[in-house]
Amino acid sequence: MYYTYILLSSKSHKFYFGSTNDLQKRLKLHNNGEVKSTKSGIPWKLVWYGGFGTERQARDFELYFKTGSGKAFAYKRLVSVALTKDLLEGRKSITKL
């Protein structure tokens, strides 16, 4: 099984889109500072993931999330609960990657 996932930084309030075949291991790598592109946003919280049968499908969905329409879809349909919760916890702003 392969996964596409969305993380939310508790520090910078930014989203990160990725894909992997081992979701738990990948989240640990992000939170241990072992992923260069997410090191500055530690700690990261998993807010959504989807499973796919092939690596290609997971990677294609990750790439879709990184487009304008993919981000719009993700923010409107997949992470709106995370956005609301983050704002209710007193966070002033959320920046979208």
Side-chain angles (χ1 to χ4, degrees), residues 5 10 13 16-17 24 26 30 41 43 50 62 72 74-75 78 81-82 92-93:
Y5 59 91
S10 299
H13 312 291
Y16 176 81
F17 304 100
Q24 290 179 338
R26 190 68 175 158
H30 284 293
E62 173 192 354
Y75 300 145
L78 304 178
V81 173
K92 293 181 182 178
S93 67

Side-chain angles (χ1 to χ4, degrees), residues 1-4 19 50-64:
M1 187 67 94
Y2 296 88
Y3 303 92
T4 300
S19 60
F52 297 87
T54 68
E55 181 178 12
R56 178 65 184 213
Q57 290 171 324
R59 180 75 173 132
D60 285 349
F61 205 57
E62 173 192 354
L63 294 175
Y64 167 67

